[in-house]
């Protein structure tokens, strides 16, 4: 069964749980809705079905959220909002195990990796707790004689967060927490492949004290997203997903007059210099490429080996791959689980085959594992002599495939990265401060690592890519995210003393 199977409605007599949207605190599953299957990627079994929210349901959710925003959440004091987010933190921690189980069962990642996602999700929430300072605005007394100016930050209204399958909790929590802290109502549209963590998160958001109508979950895919993008009551869109969909969301959302941030896909290059610490570098690349089965936007997709680094690097990585424990994410000691869907498994296997036909060398072949294990498995794969113009270089694979590209110089490596359409992450492994500094200053990527394979920044910094990895200028977290979810109001005041002269006819005479 492919991961995208669509029914008009659940089969008659279906015993598989139907997962509905959460609107106004109530679960809503329209029996006539489009329904898609949720799989356990480790077994290939269907574990649930998701009822997609039709445009009328989107309209109802926006209406309820708008009322709740105007009457309650927008009016909540800074102190109350802070208390709600602190309660949410406690509730999340109390449900840590449940989140890990849901992520393992619907996404397939290992329990340790799912717990890592939980920890990074919580880090994001912690960084948002600075909002009483981050949202302070500014003021300047006596900008002109008798005139003061102050600027305050205000929520936008109802915003939507459209989130990908690969971080079922972390991304809905990151963007949702910033949006709520800024005083917005939120409608999350999670990936229908991993719906349950988003639903549990919403339930906890309500228990923490956000009015149920002010935080909803709308399940669905393209048509639900388009209904949100077109709805006049939605003020802003925070999207994370693949580049083609990000481009669509950005264009359609902007055309509808919304503020849009749309984070896209990636093809992250990791440059390996001959002077690197080879065992450390090989271990880092293995972790970056095969962790989460390569399904991270910051996954190490390409090792760009400079000069004589290539042969030793290839040997060191190939030697480590057999030790990676691949299997169902819930098995103790598992390090790498399956990919998300049968469709994804086939796409990855086909891409490796196409690479082979295009002259790329398959050094370690993960394809046979697809036959050996049930579920959607592909083993860790290492390719060599990858080059631009081959499908495995040009396309985002989003699976456990690391390609080695060979170049002669650091300058050539940087030029290669800068010519690539994506610009999410890029790293260098070297013992040279000079090489690292040149790389850091001249590489075109939003998140840069020095001897770090997955350079996702600490959450109080701006997180986000460049070029085709992000449309719209704002980060998911950090100062830019606070700005994205607020609008400034600048107030100029004068309290004239008795008998003061009024304003003259010329522009701005007081200032
Ligand atoms: P996706 O683009 O298929 O889906 C993302 C969201 O968009 C989901 O909610 C999905 O239901 C919805 N969607 C799918 N097709 C749509 C369409 N035609 N129109 C409107 N909405 C649609 O992405 P995915 O497969 O869920 O996630 C993996 C992708 O996300 C990878 O490309 C990865 O690099 C990227 N990603 C990027 C970042 C980042 O910060 N840049 C972070 C995580 C993941």
């Amino acid at each position: 069964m492919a991961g995208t199977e669509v029914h008009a409605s659940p089969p008659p007599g279906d015993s598989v749980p139907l997962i509905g949207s959460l609107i106004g605190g109530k679960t809503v599953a329209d029996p006539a809705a489009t329904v898609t299957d949720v799989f356990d990627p480790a077994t290939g079994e269907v574990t649930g079905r998701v009822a997609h929210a039709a445009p009328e349901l989107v309209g109802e959710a926006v209406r309820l959220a708008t009322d709740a925003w105007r009457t309650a959440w927008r009016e909540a004091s800074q102190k109350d909002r802070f208390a709600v987010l602190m309660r949410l933190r406690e509730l999340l921690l109390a449900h840590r195990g449940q989140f890990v189980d849901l992520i393992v069962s619907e996404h397939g990642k290992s329990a340790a990796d799912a717990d890592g996602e939980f920890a990074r999700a919580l880090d994001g929430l912690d960084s948002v707790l600075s909002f009483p300072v981050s949202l302070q605005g500014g003021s300047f007394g006596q900008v002109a004689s008798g005139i003061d100016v102050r600027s305050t930050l205000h929520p936008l209204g109802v915003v939507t967060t459209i989130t990908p399958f690969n971080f079922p909790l972390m991304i809905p929590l990151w963007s949702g927490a910033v949006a709520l802290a800024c005083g917005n109502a939120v409608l999350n549209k999670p990936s229908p492949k991993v719906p349950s963590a988003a639903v549990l998160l919403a339930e906890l958001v309500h228990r923490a004290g956000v009015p149920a109508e002010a935080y909803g979950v709308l399940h669905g895919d393209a048509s639900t997203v388009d209904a949100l993008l077109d709805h006049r009551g939605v003020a802003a869109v925070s999207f994370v997903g693949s580049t083609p969909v990000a481009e669509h969301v950005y264009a359609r959302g902007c055309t509808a007059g919304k503020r849009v941030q749309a984070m896209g896909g990636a093809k992250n290059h990791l440059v390996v210099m001959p002077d690197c610490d080879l065992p450390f570098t090989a271990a880092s690349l293995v972790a970056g490429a095969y962790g989460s089965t390569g399904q991270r936007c910051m996954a190490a997709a390409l090792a760009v080996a400079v000069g004589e680094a290539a042969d030793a690097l290839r040997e060191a990585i190939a030697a480590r791959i057999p030790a990676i424990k691949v299997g169902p994410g819930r098995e103790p000691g598992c390090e790498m689980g399956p990919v998300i869907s049968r469709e994804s498994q086939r796409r990855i296997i086909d891409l490796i085959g196409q690479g082979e036909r295009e002259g790329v060398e398959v050094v370690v072949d993960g394809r046979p594992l697809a036959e050996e294990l049930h579920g959607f498995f592909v083993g860790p794969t290492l390719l060599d002599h990858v080059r631009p113009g081959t499908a495995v270089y040009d396309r985002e694979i989003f699976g456990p495939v690391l390609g080695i590209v060979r170049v002669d110089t650091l300058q050539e490596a940087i030029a290669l990265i800068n010519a690539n359409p994506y610009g999410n992450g890029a790293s260098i492994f070297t013992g040279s401060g000079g090489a690292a500094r040149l790389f850091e200053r001249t590489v075109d990527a939003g998140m840069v690592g020095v001897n770090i394979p997955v350079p996702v920044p600490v959450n109080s910094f701006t997180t986000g890519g460049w070029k085709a990895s992000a449309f719209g200028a704002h980060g998911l977290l950090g100062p830019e995210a606070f700005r994205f979810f607020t609008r400034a109001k600048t107030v100029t005041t004068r309290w004239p003393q008795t008998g003061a002269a009024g304003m003259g006819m010329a522009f701005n005479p007081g200032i």
Side-chain angles (χ1 to χ4, degrees), residues 317-333:
I317 292 173
R320 279 172 167 74
I321 287 177
I324 299 171
K325 293 187 187 66
V326 184
R330 58 182 68 84
E331 273 184 9

Side-chain angles (χ1 to χ4, degrees), residues 163-166 189 192 221 225 239-242 245 264-265 297 396 398:
T163 50
F165 82 80
N166 66 326
K189 209 301 292 164
D221 229 341
V225 169
F239 170 89
V240 181
S242 59
V245 182
C297 65
E396 182 183 30
F398 223 57

Side-chain angles (χ1 to χ4, degrees), residues 3-367:
T4 52
E5 193 185 344
V6 176
H7 311 282
S9 57
D14 196 4
S15 60
V16 175
L18 184 65
I19 302 163
S21 296
L22 208 55
I23 298 172
K26 296 189 186 71
T27 302
V28 184
D30 176 0
T34 298
V35 170
T36 49
D37 295 335
V38 181
F39 291 85
D40 179 341
T43 61
E45 283 162 17
V46 175
T47 57
R49 302 196 204 281
V50 183
H52 292 211
E56 305 76 58
L57 220 48
V58 171
E60 175 65 1
V62 175
R63 190 185 63 72
L64 289 171
T66 306
D67 286 351
W69 175 68
R70 286 212 182 103
T71 57
W73 189 242
R74 178 177 68 172
E75 302 305 320
S77 68
Q78 180 238 82
K79 196 165 157 293
D80 288 346
R81 271 187 269 159
F82 189 82
V84 165
L85 292 179
M86 286 301 286
R87 271 199 298 279
L88 176 61
R89 190 180 194 284
E90 293 308 309
L91 287 164
L92 285 165
L93 280 168
H95 291 79
R96 187 173 189 144
Q98 205 178 333
F99 276 112
V100 169
D101 288 347
L102 288 174
I103 295 168
V104 170
S105 121
E106 291 184 354
H107 176 288
K109 60 179 80 172
S110 73
D113 195 35
D115 193 63
E117 172 178 346
F118 181 92
R120 283 307 299 253
L122 207 68
D123 283 353
L125 175 60
D126 287 348
S127 78
V128 173
L129 294 173
S130 71
F131 82 89
V133 175
S134 303
L135 297 182
Q136 272 179 5
S139 68
F140 204 111
Q142 192 74 346
V143 290
S145 181
I147 293 183
D148 304 324
V149 178
R150 65 176 182 278
S151 192
T152 47
L153 296 175
H154 299 258
L156 305 173
V158 178
V159 303
T160 183
T161 58
I162 301 165
T163 50
F165 82 80
N166 66 326
F167 286 107
L169 168 66
M170 186 180 85
I171 296 181
L173 177 59
W174 279 7
S175 42
V178 189
L180 286 171
C182 293
N184 299 287
V186 178
L187 296 174
N188 175 221
K189 209 301 292 164
S191 165
K193 294 172 183 150
V194 292
S196 299
V199 172
L200 177 58
L201 170 63
E203 287 165 0
L204 301 186
V205 167
H206 299 158
R207 279 176 58 190
V210 175
E213 295 80 2
Y215 190 97
V217 177
L218 291 164
H219 294 300
D221 229 341
S223 74
T224 310
V225 169
D226 286 347
L228 283 161
L229 295 174
D230 295 345
H231 199 295
R232 292 173 67 87
V234 175
V237 181
S238 174
F239 170 89
V240 181
S242 59
T243 288
V245 182
E247 277 185 288
H248 164 74
V249 166
Y250 187 68
R252 191 156 175 159
C254 289
T255 302
K258 300 179 197 325
R259 194 177 283 197
V260 185
Q261 62 171 193
M263 306 297 167
K267 193 78 184 180
N268 304 310
H269 295 58
L270 281 66
V271 175
V272 178
M273 299 295 288
D275 66 357
C276 73
D277 175 335
L278 186 66
F280 171 83
T281 302
S284 299
L285 263 63
V286 165
Y290 307 122
S292 213
T293 323
Q295 298 174 115
R296 293 182 186 134
C297 65
M298 290 294 279
L302 295 163
V304 185
V306 175
E308 66 199 32
D311 289 342
L313 180 73
R314 165 186 163 139
E315 201 178 309
I317 292 173
R320 279 172 167 74
I321 287 177
I324 299 171
K325 293 187 187 66
V326 184
R330 58 182 68 84
E331 273 184 9
C334 170
E335 293 176 302
M336 196 187 108
V339 294
I340 186 69
S341 63
R342 183 71 74 207
E343 191 185 31
S344 201
Q345 181 195 44
R346 290 199 182 118
R347 183 180 49 77
I348 294 163
I349 288 172
D350 287 351
L351 276 169
I352 298 168
Q354 192 176 340
E356 226 173 3
R357 291 192 294 281
E358 290 169 341
V360 166
E361 184 186 356
V362 181
V363 181
V364 179
D365 193 349
R367 288 172 292 185

Side-chain angles (χ1 to χ4, degrees), residues 353 372 487 490:
E372 290 164 27
R487 52 191 163 177
T490 305

Side-chain angles (χ1 to χ4, degrees), residues 431-475:
S432 157
R437 187 167 188 278
L438 177 74
F439 183 79
E440 178 191 327
R441 283 184 53 74
T442 57
V443 78
D444 291 343
M447 294 174 275
V448 176
V450 176
N451 296 317
I452 303 270
V454 183
V456 179
V458 171
N459 291 331
S460 49
F461 284 83
T462 290
T463 312
W466 286 11
K467 301 192 281 184
S469 294
F471 302 88
H474 305 277

